Amino acid sequence: MASLTSWSPHVLSLLRVASGAAFLAHGTMKLLNFPPGYSPELMSMPGAAGVVELVGGGLLVLGLFTRPAAFICSGTMAAAYFVAHAPKSFFPVLNGGDAALLYCFVFLYLVFAGPGPWSLDAIVRKKG
């Protein structure tokens, strides 16, 4: 198990990149219509969420300003869950909010765990 533990920081970086890329895809769909799908008005709640998804997801993929970006993304997903999903049902599997719930807690974890070694934050930290 010690050999697995030694990989933990690198797997943290992979979690950040994978979750950030998936989150980014929601933003590109909403704001850039890629892939074509749901395109809300920019000055609406889903449009504002799209901005957070696009910018925050991009920052998380790069590992740049990871902690503040993850904090904002986590809060956005908590709000999305309680505003859009929870009123439909108490159970995430029934209210369609399971992705929002997972994003919320993965991003909250990144606030505390940081970006991992494969990140621009780590490069900047080494030079500073």
Side-chain angles (χ1 to χ4, degrees):
M1 288 300 187
S3 63
L4 291 178
T5 303
S6 68
W7 281 96
S8 181
H10 302 288
V11 175
L12 171 62
S13 291
L14 294 176
L15 174 67
R16 176 187 43 79
V17 170
S19 60
F23 199 60
L24 174 65
H26 288 275
T28 61
M29 179 186 66
K30 288 177 185 166
L31 299 180
L32 306 176
N33 201 31
F34 181 80
Y38 176 59
S39 245
E41 293 293 322
L42 183 61
M43 299 308 287
S44 65
M45 284 180 65
V51 171
V52 172
E53 291 162 351
L54 186 68
V55 175
L59 289 172
L60 290 173
V61 167
L62 297 172
L64 184 63
F65 305 116
T66 302
R67 291 177 195 262
F71 182 78
I72 292 167
C73 293
S74 177
T76 300
M77 289 297 94
Y81 182 80
F82 286 110
V83 169
H85 300 286
K88 296 176 188 174
S89 171
F90 175 78
F91 303 102
V93 71
L94 296 178
N95 68 25
D98 42 357
L101 193 63
L102 282 171
Y103 279 130
C104 177
F105 282 99
V106 166
F107 297 149
L108 184 63
Y109 174 68
L110 292 175
V111 171
F112 291 92
W118 296 332
S119 66
L120 291 179
D121 284 342
I123 292 170
V124 169
R125 192 171 50 242
K126 282 181 185 175
K127 288 185 179 182

